[in-house]
């Protein structure tokens, strides 16, 4: 990822990767809410859902902090800043993906269908 890909400029690459990220996040929000409610005891599902949504909001608030820190570290090297921001996001996502894969089970209603 050190050079522009797909024959696009650095900003063209930013658009491509940002679009892909938007598709992923657009699917993550509703699916994480549904998965949380389906896999948690009904008495505590509202608290669990509030925690999930608060975590997403915290991520939205901390994202610009990461970009500001990377901007301070890399200065005028803008390609390092946006790529670093994607990298930080990927590194934070990897443990969560592994936890989902290893611990999340299908709901009883899904298995019965």
């Amino acid at each position: 990822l050190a050079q522009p890909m797909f024959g696009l400029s650095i900003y063209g690459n930013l658009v491509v990767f940002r679009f892909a990220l938007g598709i992923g996040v657009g699917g993550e929000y509703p699916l994480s809410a549904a998965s949380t409610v389906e896999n948690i005891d009904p008495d505590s599902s509202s608290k669990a859902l509030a925690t999930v949504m608060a975590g997403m909001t915290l991520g939205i608030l901390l994202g610009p902090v990461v970009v500001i820190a990377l901007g301070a570290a890399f200065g005028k090297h803008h390609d390092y800043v946006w790529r670093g921001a994607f990298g930080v996001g990927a590194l934070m996502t990897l443990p969560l993906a592994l936890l989902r894969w290893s611990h999340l089970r299908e709901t009883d209603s899904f298995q019965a269908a």
Side-chain angles (χ1 to χ4, degrees):
L1 292 176
Q3 297 295 320
M5 297 170 28
F6 312 118
L8 299 173
S9 71
I10 199 74
Y11 298 107
N13 276 288
L14 179 60
V15 168
V16 168
F17 285 108
R18 182 62 183 97
F19 180 76
L21 180 68
I23 290 173
V25 169
E28 174 63 22
Y29 274 45
L31 292 175
S32 64
S35 177
T36 300
V37 171
E38 290 176 358
N39 284 295
I40 298 293
D41 180 46
D43 294 334
S44 61
S45 65
S46 60
K47 289 180 185 176
L49 184 58
T51 302
V52 168
M53 292 300 151
M56 290 181 186
T57 303
L58 181 62
I60 290 169
L61 294 173
L62 289 178
V65 174
V66 170
V67 173
I68 290 169
L70 290 170
F74 292 114
K76 294 184 180 185
H77 299 284
H78 301 290
D79 53 336
Y80 293 151
V81 174
W82 75 262
R83 288 178 177 171
F86 276 100
V88 168
L91 289 175
M92 294 180 74
T93 303
L94 184 60
L96 295 175
L98 293 173
L99 282 172
R100 279 187 179 180
W101 181 74
S102 64
H103 289 82
L104 191 63
R105 63 177 181 82
E106 295 292 349
T107 61
D108 296 333
S109 60
F110 179 82
Q111 290 179 350

